[in-house]
Amino acid sequence: MKPGHDHHFTLCPISYIGFSWCPGCGLGRAINLMLHGHFSASFSMHPLAGLAIVVIIWRIIQLIKNIKNFNYYG
């Protein structure tokens, strides 16, 4: 990586095709910013970070419910 360079190493296939915006690029950093309370920076990095956090929390709850049901009835 070269300091001050705009482009960085990525494994994103959409970025390699040449599109400037990808629905997944920056989502992890945006979630991290939102969890640390930097909401405007998170939204500017990726506007779907809030929705992603809600989906992740919902999925964790569903997995916990499935584990509880499996332990008693499985």
Side-chain angles (χ1 to χ4, degrees):
M1 291 179 56
K2 296 179 183 178
H5 224 240
D6 288 339
H7 196 280
H8 58 83
F9 175 73
T10 181
L11 295 175
C12 178
I14 295 175
S15 175
Y16 284 131
I17 292 173
F19 291 102
S20 62
W21 189 82
C22 171
C25 289
L27 187 60
R29 291 187 298 268
I31 289 172
N32 184 23
L33 286 169
M34 187 167 284
L35 292 176
H36 284 97
H38 305 287
F39 300 109
S40 61
S42 171
F43 188 79
S44 68
M45 185 166 289
H46 202 292
L48 298 178
L51 177 64
I53 290 173
V54 170
V55 169
I56 290 169
I57 291 171
W58 178 79
R59 183 62 183 148
I60 289 171
I61 292 169
Q62 293 299 317
L63 289 172
I64 290 170
K65 285 181 182 178
N66 287 342
I67 289 172
K68 291 171 81 173
N69 290 337
F70 181 75
N71 286 339
Y72 294 120
Y73 303 112

